[in-house]
Amino acid sequence: PESGGDSEDEGDSDSSGDGEDEEKENEAEIQRLEEQLSINAFDYNCHLDLIKLLRQEGELVKLRRARQKMSELFPLTEEIWLDWLKDEIKMASESSEREKVYELFERAVKDYICPEIWLEYAQYSIGGIGQEGGIEKVRSIFERALTAVGLHVTKGTALWEAYREFENAILETAQPAPGSVPSSEQQQMLCSQLEKIHMLFRRQLGIPLLDMEASYAEYEEWSEDPIPETIIKNYKKALQQLEKCKPYEEALLGAETPKLAEYQAYIDFEMKAGDPARIQLIYERALAENCLVPDLWARYNQYLDRQLKVKELVLSAHDRAVRNCPWTVGLWIRYLLAMERHRVDHSIISEMFEKALNAGFIQATDYVEIWQAYLDYLRRRVDFTQDSSKELEELRSAFARAVEYLKQEVEERFSESGDPSCTIMQNWARVEARLCNNMQKARELWDNIMTKGNAKYANMWLEYYNLERAHGDTQHCRKALHRAVQCTSDYPEHVCEVLLTLERIEGTLEDWDAAVQKTENRLARVNEQRAKAAEKEAALAKQEEEKAEQRKQARAEKKASKKVKKTRIGDKRKADDDDEGEWGQEEEAEQPSKRHKGDGDGELLEEDMEVETGLFGRSGPEKPDRPANQKEKASTSRKDIPKVLHDSSKDNVTVFVSNLSYNMADPEAKLKDLFESCGEVAEIRPVFSNKGTFRGYCYVEFKEEKSALQALGLDRKVVEGRPMFVSPCVDKNKNPDFKVFRYSTTLEKHKLFISGLPFSCTKEELEDVCKAHGNVKDIRLVTNRAGKPKGLAYVEYENEAQASQAVLKMDGLTVKEHVIKVAISNPPLRKVPDKPEAGRASQFAVPRQVYGARGKGRTQLSMMPRALQRQSNPVAKAENGMVQNSPAASSEPPEEPKKMSNADFAKMLLKK
């Protein structure tokens, strides 16, 4: 017993120790999260983690402060609000504390239209019914709730029923005691209360709501009088409308979150019906589940701006839009316009603009757009009939600040100002010239614009010229055009023509002569420069042609020499036929693997690739050779297979499979097992070379077209260590522009491009790094054709907000001693070749020279035996008794080769 007591004490001390350790860990984590939020207050997930920990620890003061800070930056979801409200309701006992809960409810119902929060609000207000005006306050809240969500097809019924139950409870308290005669006042109160309930039933039955048949039956049972005909008519009309809404509600019920497509279809349906209240409600329902979709907010705000035009409603929606999607500049611009439209105080608009500047836009041009929108607003405030005013000075100050902001803040972050054409300065110059009659200031601004690299563009000079023409004088116009002729490099002819036109209309003879001389000299220099550039380009093109011809000649000579060598070996073996036995087999087995060619497309076998890359500084692991007789049997059996040409009429049921391993033992059986999951396979046609070796690609024909479409989903599946490429079967000769690329090549704001990753980094390891900053939907590690990683990856997040946060936090991060670069995915334009490759299989051909991942090795030539080195300038070789001249050596047509006598031929051989 004594020892048992000791162990129990030890157990208690261990558990208390564990509790203390956990508490310390939580405190440390809370401190870390608070520090992180002090650095980046817009980290949504960090706010959530902090609130969760503080609630777990029972830190009510800190918890309230954390929720307050988060609600100032973001609209809170229904779950967060309900948790907050429930915690505050538990602590509210006095009337003053109840008022604070009411204020919290008022804030909650403004973020999103949530039936549950409205219901909770109404039920909480019933608890204060005993206070002065309590009943009227409850009714007021219920009426507001019905206005907000009473039309909600699936959740509106609960509010209507709660409201009726409240009125029925009041009716019960108004009933006279049994056996007593009610007074006239009591009788009047009873009638009034009954009428309120009747009215609630009738209002509800005129709205298409789920289970409205049950509500109608309940009304029939409750009412002592028959239901009026007009109410029945409205009820039937609502019932018909409900039938129209049901397909959309069922689609939402069966769809997966966020249901954007289903909501959009529902919105289109309600827009056609044209009921503003119902349109507003369906937009709000859609936004509650798609609050991070900027386009949805933009469409909703546009509808409110153009149709409803109710100030409180419009401004509330714009405010929620920018709080949900602060990185979207278009939403901020619309908000500023809406505030101006509804005559909001200037100080509030200026404050909102400052918030926009701190929102963290993801492109430099976004800052140019928000500045331009604010400057437009300030310009509209100015009364230009006055020589000077406070508003004009504020506008000028804002223009100067905008130019400085783009130069300092934006350039530092994006390495560009976003305004290379200086549009803000151009607009400033126009304001000064046209509205302020201050041409001197406009000229200073344009002088500044030209010094920023714009002097070489004709359109910039013509913009300035037109401004000077409209608001300046001829002398400055002439001066500007003379400078334009001297500086313009893109379209000098255009500015020359404008200068001559000016002098023709307004100039003196001296002016005309000076203009003609200047333009002629300038155009002569330009033409000379263009001629030199054209010559240089032609020379480069000629060099490229010569190099291509040399390469072609070298390949032809190599092919011919191989043919001669092969013939000699064959003759030697023929001569030694009688002596060949086991020794001959051994000799054949010891020969190095050779390049096998099929149909002249220059493909390499995988064994050849390994040997070649080894010579070029990237030798891989040696592979065991198959026995010679086994190779012979396989090749012979495949040689006997008759070649079947592809039937282009079956392209719709066929897929083209490439990048397969050349060593695949039985391609037909292997691929049949892979593709049978997509549907019934009619035929698999692997492509073999003339020597019977597999060339790494094949055609898979299905019985049905849908199976072929499903098979495209196996693209990039790893088969025997290589990514298998599966593409539609399209004849590139008939469709030269057809391209198969399964990934987007445009800007995707929810997707990141990561470079500099270590080659050993796995998808799971990268996901662990990325998921700390948001919900990762997909990760794609970029590999080469052999399935080897290239150190690049694409990471897709759930929305733009998470992606932009991840860029800020992950760019420059160290992963396995590698510093990675992270940016929003925006691939450069893909270069399209002038002439498409002929034949379908040519796009998958392996290049003749195979190098490592980083190109040619620096010591490549020194590592090669001299006998294998290829001369850069191949000399003419004698072949079949005829000397062939390299076509690259002379541009003239080659002369007919001179035939050699037997004696000459013998001399040549002896020299060699």
Side-chain angles (χ1 to χ4, degrees):
E2 200 170 312
S3 62
D6 290 343
S7 63
E8 187 178 344
D9 291 341
E10 287 172 10
D12 290 342
S13 63
D14 287 345
S15 62
S16 64
D18 291 343
E20 287 176 7
D21 290 344
E22 186 179 351
E23 190 176 341
K24 286 180 181 177
E25 285 178 9
N26 287 345
E27 286 178 3
E29 181 65 10
I30 288 169
Q31 188 175 354
R32 187 190 70 79
L33 291 170
E34 286 175 341
E35 287 174 0
Q36 193 168 336
L37 286 173
S38 66
I39 298 168
N40 180 15
F42 288 93
D43 191 332
Y44 190 88
N45 292 324
C46 194
H47 280 286
L48 291 180
D49 294 341
L50 179 60
I51 288 170
K52 184 179 177 182
L53 265 179
L54 290 173
R55 196 176 189 215
Q56 184 181 325
E57 291 296 304
E59 296 277 357
L60 298 179
V61 177
K62 285 186 176 181
L63 176 61
R64 185 180 288 167
R65 193 186 306 129
R67 282 167 166 164
Q68 180 67 29
K69 283 183 180 178
M70 186 178 183
S71 69
E72 288 171 1
L73 295 172
F74 304 100
L76 305 185
T77 61
E78 184 179 62
E79 293 77 16
I80 298 173
W81 272 119
L82 288 173
D83 286 342
W84 189 357
L85 290 163
K86 286 172 184 175
D87 289 345
E88 295 292 345
I89 287 170
K90 288 176 188 175
M91 295 185 288
S93 54
E94 299 178 4
S95 59
S96 60
E97 290 172 338
R98 284 186 67 85
E99 286 301 320
K100 289 181 180 178
V101 176
Y102 281 132
E103 290 174 8
L104 202 59
F105 268 115
E106 287 296 329
R107 288 172 56 192
V109 296
K110 287 177 182 176
D111 275 356
Y112 300 107
I113 288 186
C114 300
E116 286 81 0
I117 292 178
W118 275 110
L119 191 58
E120 191 76 26
Y121 189 10
Q123 288 173 344
Y124 179 72
S125 67
I126 293 173
I129 198 171
Q131 298 176 357
E132 186 180 351
I135 293 177
E136 291 307 316
K137 185 169 187 174
V138 174
R139 282 178 178 151
S140 170
I141 291 170
F142 266 118
E143 287 295 335
R144 288 173 59 203
L146 291 179
T147 303
V149 292
L151 298 176
H152 198 298
V153 175
T154 56
K155 297 181 179 180
T157 305
L159 265 170
W160 286 100
E161 288 177 352
Y163 196 0
R164 285 205 316 274
E165 285 174 13
F166 168 70
E167 295 293 356
N168 273 318
I170 294 176
L171 180 64
E172 289 296 324
T173 58
Q175 293 285 354
S180 63
V181 178
S183 64
S184 60
E185 289 179 2
Q186 287 177 324
Q187 191 67 35
Q188 189 177 354
M189 184 181 175
L190 280 170
C191 291
S192 173
Q193 192 61 28
L194 283 168
E195 185 58 31
K196 281 185 173 66
I197 299 171
H198 272 291
M199 189 57 67
L200 281 175
F201 267 119
R202 292 168 184 174
R203 286 167 62 191
Q204 181 183 353
L205 292 173
I207 299 169
L209 298 171
L210 214 60
D211 297 328
M212 60 187 306
E213 296 92 339
S215 301
Y216 182 79
E218 185 183 346
Y219 185 32
E220 275 188 318
E221 185 181 345
W222 181 83
S223 178
E224 297 175 357
D225 303 322
I227 300 176
E229 195 64 35
T230 54
I231 303 303
I232 296 173
K233 187 179 178 181
N234 290 339
Y235 164 71
K236 288 181 179 178
K237 187 178 177 182
L239 206 56
Q240 289 174 355
Q241 196 172 354
L242 177 64
E243 289 303 315
K244 293 178 183 177
C245 294
K246 269 186 179 178
Y248 299 100
E249 293 291 346
E250 288 167 1
L252 288 173
L253 196 63
E256 294 182 3
T257 305
K259 313 175 186 177
L260 185 58
E262 290 75 14
Y263 272 119
Q264 189 54 57
Y266 207 163
I267 289 168
D268 293 340
F269 164 73
E270 292 292 2
M271 289 288 281
K272 287 177 184 176
D275 185 343
R278 297 191 65 80
I279 293 170
Q280 183 196 352
L281 179 64
I282 192 59
Y283 263 120
E284 290 287 354
R285 285 177 62 184
L287 288 165
E289 294 191 60
N290 296 275
C291 59
L292 298 176
V293 180
D295 289 342
L296 189 59
W297 280 109
R299 290 197 295 272
Y300 181 40
N301 289 336
Q302 182 177 315
Y303 172 76
L304 294 177
D305 285 334
R306 295 180 180 178
Q307 302 298 325
L308 295 189
K309 302 179 182 178
V310 179
K311 180 179 178 179
E312 292 75 15
L313 191 61
V314 169
L315 295 182
S316 169
H318 279 288
D319 183 65
R320 288 184 290 139
V322 297
R323 287 171 67 200
N324 274 293
C325 307
W327 65 90
T328 308
V329 69
L331 296 178
W332 287 100
I333 292 172
R334 288 186 180 91
Y335 193 8
L336 294 177
L337 289 169
M339 286 195 289
E340 183 184 1
R341 205 174 285 124
H342 291 282
R343 304 185 184 282
V344 175
D345 188 70
H346 171 62
S347 60
I348 297 173
I349 296 178
S350 297
E351 185 181 340
M352 194 56 61
F353 168 70
E354 294 299 332
K355 283 184 180 179
L357 285 182
N358 295 319
F361 300 132
I362 58 178
Q363 296 181 97
T365 52
D366 291 345
Y367 288 93
V368 179
E369 289 180 35
I370 194 66
W371 266 111
Q372 194 57 65
Y374 184 59
L375 291 167
D376 292 346
Y377 156 71
L378 293 177
R379 196 265 308 158
R380 288 190 284 267
R381 294 181 69 241
V382 179
D383 180 6
F384 288 101
T385 58
Q386 300 178 13
D387 291 337
S388 64
S389 63
K390 180 183 175 183
E391 289 80 9
L392 178 58
E393 292 308 312
E394 187 177 359
L395 174 63
R396 282 173 170 157
S397 174
F399 267 119
R401 184 188 164 203
V403 172
E404 190 64 23
Y405 186 91
L406 294 176
K407 182 181 176 182
Q408 299 292 334
E409 303 287 335
V410 178
E411 273 196 30
E412 184 178 340
R413 181 177 166 191
F414 297 97
S415 302
E416 57 160 326
S417 69
D419 190 17
S421 299
C422 302
T423 53
I424 286 180
M425 290 181 71
Q426 286 189 48
N427 289 331
W428 187 3
R430 292 187 189 105
V431 168
E432 293 289 356
R434 295 176 186 175
L435 303 175
C436 302
N437 298 317
N438 188 354
M439 200 59 206
Q440 184 59 37
K441 179 64 177 177
R443 289 179 186 125
E444 289 175 11
L445 290 168
W446 266 104
D447 187 60
N448 198 355
I449 290 168
M450 290 305 185
T451 58
K452 294 183 182 296
N454 291 302
K456 57 186 176 181
Y457 301 116
N459 67 314
M460 298 296 286
W461 282 107
L462 296 178
E463 277 288 335
Y464 171 49
Y465 167 74
N466 289 332
L467 189 71
E468 194 70 66
R469 189 79 173 150
H471 306 285
D473 53 57
T474 305
Q475 182 183 353
H476 283 91
C477 287
R478 182 176 290 113
K479 187 177 178 182
L481 289 175
H482 275 273
R483 286 179 63 197
V485 169
Q486 185 178 347
C487 301
T488 302
S489 60
D490 57 350
Y491 300 107
E493 295 89 348
H494 197 174
V495 292
C496 289
E497 184 183 346
V498 175
L499 174 58
L500 292 174
T501 302
L502 173 71
E503 302 302 2
R504 179 174 281 115
I505 302 300
E506 300 184 25
T508 63
L509 178 60
E510 289 78 11
D511 294 333
W512 172 260
D513 288 341
V516 169
Q517 185 179 354
K518 187 156 192 133
T519 55
E520 284 179 351
N521 290 341
R522 175 61 178 155
L523 291 177
R525 285 199 305 274
V526 168
N527 290 331
E528 186 180 342
Q529 289 168 0
R530 287 174 181 171
K532 285 181 180 178
E535 286 175 10
K536 189 175 180 181
E537 190 176 342
L540 288 172
K542 188 176 179 181
Q543 284 178 13
E544 288 297 322
E545 286 178 10
E546 288 174 355
K547 286 179 183 177
E549 194 63 36
Q550 287 173 6
R551 286 195 294 268
K552 186 177 177 182
Q553 182 71 16
R555 285 197 296 268
E557 290 171 358
K558 187 175 180 182
K559 187 177 178 181
S561 65
K562 279 188 177 181
K563 228 181 238 182
V564 172
K565 187 177 179 183
K566 190 175 178 183
T567 306
R568 288 174 183 169
I569 291 170
D571 292 344
K572 185 180 177 182
R573 285 186 179 174
K574 200 171 182 181
D576 297 337
D577 246 355
D578 297 335
D579 300 324
E580 189 184 59
E582 292 180 5
W583 291 103
Q585 290 179 5
E586 285 177 14
E587 184 182 343
E588 184 179 345
E590 287 171 6
Q591 282 184 2
S593 56
K594 300 181 179 66
R595 177 177 299 179
H596 298 278
K597 298 182 182 179
D599 300 338
D601 65 350
E603 291 213 17
L604 299 176
L605 288 177
E606 193 169 5
E607 292 93 335
D608 302 324
M609 291 172 68
E610 290 297 334
V611 171
E612 195 162 358
T613 50
L615 287 172
F616 285 90
R618 193 188 145 201
S619 54
E622 293 182 5
K623 298 187 179 180
D625 291 334
R626 288 189 293 173
N629 56 355
Q630 189 178 339
K631 285 184 181 178
E632 260 183 49
K633 287 177 184 176
S635 298
T636 307
S637 63
R638 286 170 183 162
K639 280 181 189 177
D640 297 336
I641 299 173
K643 290 188 177 180
V644 181
L645 296 175
H646 172 63
D647 185 359
S648 59
S649 65
K650 295 182 179 180
D651 280 352
N652 62 321
V653 293
T654 308
V655 293
F656 181 69
V657 183
S658 60
N659 202 48
L660 297 168
S661 171
Y662 300 110
N663 286 336
M664 190 175 284
D666 190 351
E668 193 170 348
K670 179 75 175 177
L671 294 174
K672 191 169 185 181
D673 292 341
L674 276 173
F675 285 96
E676 274 183 337
S677 61
C678 304
E680 188 178 352
V681 178
E683 185 184 7
I684 293 179
R685 297 192 297 280
V687 180
F688 297 98
S689 69
N690 292 333
K691 296 187 178 181
T693 52
F694 181 48
R695 293 175 61 186
Y697 60 91
C698 68
Y699 298 92
V700 180
E701 183 184 322
F702 292 91
K703 293 283 188 183
E704 297 178 345
E705 187 175 352
K706 65 179 182 180
S707 302
L709 293 172
Q710 191 175 344
L712 297 175
L714 296 177
D715 186 37
R716 313 260 171 184
K717 180 178 176 65
V718 178
V719 178
E720 295 190 2
R722 296 172 66 87
M724 172 179 70
F725 298 163
V726 184
S727 58
C729 199
V730 177
D731 191 342
K732 295 297 286 291
N733 289 325
K734 295 179 181 177
N735 301 279
D737 297 329
F738 179 80
K739 294 287 179 187
V740 177
F741 193 68
R742 60 185 290 194
Y743 304 109
S744 173
T745 56
T746 57
L747 175 67
E748 295 178 281
K749 295 183 180 180
H750 66 291
K751 190 180 287 187
L752 304 184
F753 174 66
I754 302 178
S755 59
L757 288 166
F759 293 153
S760 61
C761 182
T762 64
K763 186 175 180 180
E764 291 74 20
E765 290 171 339
L766 183 58
E767 186 175 7
D768 289 339
V769 175
C770 298
K771 69 183 181 183
H773 311 295
N775 186 14
V776 177
K777 290 181 70 178
D778 185 38
I779 291 180
R780 176 167 66 93
L781 293 176
V782 182
T783 62
N784 60 16
R785 282 180 171 268
K788 304 295 182 185
K790 298 173 74 174
L792 310 173
Y794 290 91
V795 180
E796 183 179 355
Y797 280 95
E798 198 169 58
N799 52 60
E800 296 175 22
Q802 294 177 0
S804 59
Q805 288 295 323
V807 170
L808 293 173
K809 294 192 177 175
M810 290 171 57
D811 189 31
L813 192 69
T814 301
V815 177
K816 291 186 177 181
E817 299 180 357
H818 285 67
V819 178
I820 63 172
K821 291 184 179 180
V822 184
I824 297 294
S825 176
N826 190 14
L829 293 174
R830 295 170 69 85
K831 292 183 179 179
V832 181
D834 295 335
K835 294 182 181 179
E837 295 283 347
R840 184 181 288 104
S842 63
Q843 60 179 320
F844 301 103
V846 180
R848 289 186 178 275
Q849 293 291 339
V850 183
Y851 306 119
R854 300 180 185 275
K856 292 185 180 181
R858 291 169 64 183
T859 58
Q860 174 186 326
L861 294 178
S862 61
M863 293 288 288
M864 290 177 63
R866 290 181 182 177
L868 295 180
Q869 288 184 12
R870 179 183 296 174
Q871 294 179 3
S872 59
N873 295 318
V875 296
K877 291 186 179 180
E879 190 170 287
N880 295 334
M882 299 170 68
V883 179
Q884 294 180 339
N885 294 323
S886 171
S890 173
S891 58
E892 296 178 8
E895 295 180 6
E896 177 140 354
K898 183 180 178 182
K899 291 187 178 180
M900 300 170 67
S901 66
N902 290 339
D904 293 336
F905 191 78
K907 284 178 185 178
M908 183 188 71
L909 288 175
L910 288 172
K911 281 181 183 179
K912 286 198 173 185

Coordinates of all heavy atoms in Angstrom, one line a residue, residues 409-439:
E409 N 8.3 54.0 -53.3 CA 7.7 52.9 -52.7 C 7.4 51.7 -53.7 O 7.8 50.6 -53.5 CB 6.3 53.2 -52.1 CG 6.4 54.3 -51.0 CD 7.0 53.9 -49.7 OE1 6.9 52.7 -49.5 OE2 7.5 54.7 -49.0
V410 N 6.8 52.1 -54.8 CA 6.5 51.0 -55.8 C 7.7 50.4 -56.5 O 7.8 49.2 -56.7 CB 5.4 51.6 -56.8 CG1 5.1 50.5 -57.9 CG2 4.2 52.0 -56.1
E411 N 8.6 51.3 -56.9 CA 9.8 50.8 -57.6 C 10.7 50.0 -56.7 O 11.3 49.0 -57.1 CB 10.7 52.0 -58.1 CG 10.2 52.5 -59.5 CD 11.3 53.3 -60.2 OE1 12.5 53.2 -59.9 OE2 10.9 54.2 -60.9
E412 N 10.7 50.3 -55.4 CA 11.5 49.5 -54.5 C 10.9 48.1 -54.3 O 11.7 47.2 -54.1 CB 11.5 50.3 -53.1 CG 12.4 49.6 -52.1 CD 12.4 50.4 -50.7 OE1 12.0 51.5 -50.7 OE2 12.7 49.7 -49.7
R413 N 9.6 48.0 -54.4 CA 9.0 46.7 -54.1 C 8.9 45.9 -55.4 O 9.2 44.7 -55.4 CB 7.6 46.9 -53.6 CG 6.8 45.6 -53.3 CD 5.5 45.9 -52.8 NE 4.7 44.6 -52.8 CZ 3.4 44.6 -52.6 NH1 2.7 45.7 -52.3 NH2 2.7 43.4 -52.6
F414 N 8.6 46.5 -56.6 CA 8.4 45.7 -57.8 C 9.5 45.9 -58.8 O 9.5 45.3 -59.9 CB 7.1 46.1 -58.5 CG 5.9 45.8 -57.6 CD1 5.3 46.8 -56.8 CD2 5.3 44.6 -57.6 CE1 4.2 46.5 -56.1 CE2 4.2 44.3 -56.9 CZ 3.6 45.3 -56.1
S415 N 10.5 46.7 -58.5 CA 11.6 47.0 -59.5 C 11.1 47.7 -60.7 O 11.7 47.7 -61.7 CB 12.4 45.8 -59.9 OG 12.9 45.1 -58.7
E416 N 9.9 48.3 -60.6 CA 9.4 49.1 -61.7 C 8.3 50.0 -61.1 O 7.7 49.7 -60.1 CB 8.7 48.3 -62.8 CG 7.7 47.3 -62.3 CD 6.8 46.8 -63.4 OE1 6.5 47.6 -64.4 OE2 6.3 45.7 -63.3
S417 N 8.1 51.2 -61.7 CA 7.1 52.1 -61.2 C 5.7 51.8 -61.6 O 4.7 52.2 -61.0 CB 7.4 53.5 -61.7 OG 7.1 53.6 -63.1
G418 N 5.5 51.0 -62.6 CA 4.2 50.6 -63.1 C 3.7 51.7 -64.1 O 2.6 51.5 -64.6
D419 N 4.4 52.8 -64.3 CA 3.9 53.9 -65.1 C 5.1 54.3 -66.0 O 5.5 55.5 -65.9 CB 3.4 55.0 -64.2 CG 2.7 56.1 -65.0 OD1 2.3 55.8 -66.1 OD2 2.6 57.2 -64.5
P420 N 5.5 53.5 -66.9 CA 6.7 53.8 -67.8 C 6.4 55.0 -68.7 O 7.3 55.8 -69.1 CB 6.9 52.6 -68.6 CG 5.7 51.8 -68.6 CD 5.0 52.1 -67.3
S421 N 5.1 55.2 -69.1 CA 4.7 56.3 -70.0 C 4.4 57.6 -69.2 O 4.0 58.6 -69.8 CB 3.5 55.9 -70.8 OG 3.8 54.8 -71.6
C422 N 4.5 57.5 -67.9 CA 4.3 58.7 -67.0 C 2.9 59.3 -67.3 O 2.7 60.5 -67.4 CB 5.3 59.8 -67.3 SG 7.0 59.2 -67.0
T423 N 1.9 58.4 -67.2 CA 0.5 58.9 -67.5 C 0.0 59.8 -66.4 O -0.7 60.8 -66.7 CB -0.5 57.7 -67.5 OG1 -0.3 56.9 -66.3 CG2 -0.2 56.8 -68.7
I424 N 0.5 59.7 -65.2 CA 0.1 60.6 -64.1 C 0.6 62.0 -64.3 O 0.0 63.0 -64.2 CB 0.5 60.0 -62.7 CG1 -0.5 58.8 -62.4 CG2 0.4 61.1 -61.6 CD1 -0.2 58.2 -61.1
M425 N 1.9 62.0 -64.7 CA 2.5 63.3 -65.0 C 1.9 63.9 -66.3 O 1.7 65.2 -66.3 CB 4.0 63.1 -65.2 CG 4.8 62.8 -63.9 SD 6.5 62.7 -64.1 CE 7.0 64.4 -64.4
Q426 N 1.5 63.1 -67.2 CA 0.9 63.7 -68.4 C -0.5 64.3 -68.0 O -0.8 65.4 -68.5 CB 0.6 62.5 -69.4 CG 1.8 62.1 -70.2 CD 1.5 61.1 -71.3 OE1 0.6 61.4 -72.1 NE2 2.2 60.0 -71.4
N427 N -1.2 63.6 -67.2 CA -2.5 64.2 -66.8 C -2.3 65.5 -66.0 O -3.1 66.4 -66.1 CB -3.3 63.1 -65.9 CG -3.8 62.0 -66.8 OD1 -4.1 62.2 -68.0 ND2 -3.9 60.8 -66.2
W428 N -1.3 65.5 -65.1 CA -1.0 66.7 -64.4 C -0.7 67.8 -65.3 O -1.2 68.9 -65.1 CB 0.2 66.4 -63.5 CG 0.5 67.5 -62.5 CD1 -0.2 68.6 -62.3 CD2 1.6 67.5 -61.6 NE1 0.4 69.4 -61.3 CE2 1.5 68.7 -60.8 CE3 2.7 66.6 -61.3 CZ2 2.5 69.1 -59.9 CZ3 3.6 66.9 -60.3 CH2 3.5 68.2 -59.6
A429 N 0.1 67.5 -66.3 CA 0.4 68.6 -67.3 C -0.8 69.1 -68.0 O -1.0 70.3 -68.3 CB 1.4 68.1 -68.3
R430 N -1.7 68.2 -68.4 CA -3.0 68.6 -69.0 C -3.8 69.5 -68.1 O -4.4 70.5 -68.6 CB -3.8 67.4 -69.4 CG -3.1 66.5 -70.5 CD -4.0 65.4 -71.0 NE -3.3 64.5 -71.9 CZ -2.9 63.3 -71.6 NH1 -3.1 62.9 -70.4 NH2 -2.2 62.6 -72.5
V431 N -3.9 69.1 -66.8 CA -4.7 69.9 -65.9 C -4.1 71.3 -65.8 O -4.8 72.3 -65.8 CB -4.7 69.3 -64.5 CG1 -5.2 70.2 -63.4 CG2 -5.5 68.0 -64.5
E432 N -2.7 71.4 -65.7 CA -2.1 72.7 -65.6 C -2.3 73.5 -66.8 O -2.6 74.8 -66.8 CB -0.6 72.5 -65.3 CG -0.2 71.9 -64.0 CD -0.4 72.8 -62.8 OE1 -0.8 74.0 -63.0 OE2 -0.3 72.4 -61.7
A433 N -2.2 72.9 -68.0 CA -2.3 73.7 -69.3 C -3.8 74.1 -69.6 O -4.1 75.2 -69.9 CB -1.8 72.8 -70.4
R434 N -4.7 73.1 -69.5 CA -6.1 73.4 -69.9 C -6.9 74.1 -68.8 O -7.7 74.9 -69.2 CB -6.7 72.1 -70.3 CG -6.1 71.4 -71.5 CD -6.7 70.0 -71.8 NE -6.0 69.4 -72.9 CZ -6.2 68.1 -73.3 NH1 -7.2 67.5 -72.7 NH2 -5.5 67.6 -74.3
L435 N -6.8 73.7 -67.6 CA -7.6 74.1 -66.5 C -7.1 75.3 -65.7 O -7.8 76.1 -65.2 CB -8.1 73.0 -65.6 CG -8.7 71.8 -66.3 CD1 -9.0 70.7 -65.4 CD2 -10.1 72.2 -67.0
C436 N -5.7 75.3 -65.6 CA -5.1 76.3 -64.8 C -4.4 77.4 -65.6 O -3.8 78.4 -65.1 CB -4.1 75.7 -63.8 SG -4.8 74.5 -62.7
N437 N -4.3 77.2 -67.0 CA -3.6 78.1 -67.9 C -2.2 78.3 -67.5 O -1.6 79.4 -67.6 CB -4.4 79.5 -67.9 CG -5.8 79.3 -68.5 OD1 -6.0 78.6 -69.5 ND2 -6.7 80.0 -67.9
N438 N -1.6 77.3 -66.9 CA -0.2 77.4 -66.5 C 0.7 76.5 -67.4 O 1.1 75.4 -67.1 CB -0.1 76.9 -65.0 CG 1.3 77.1 -64.4 OD1 2.2 77.6 -65.1 ND2 1.4 76.9 -63.2
M439 N 1.0 77.1 -68.6 CA 1.7 76.3 -69.6 C 3.2 76.1 -69.2 O 3.8 75.1 -69.6 CB 1.6 77.0 -70.9 CG 1.9 76.2 -72.1 SD 0.8 74.8 -72.3 CE 1.9 73.6 -73.2

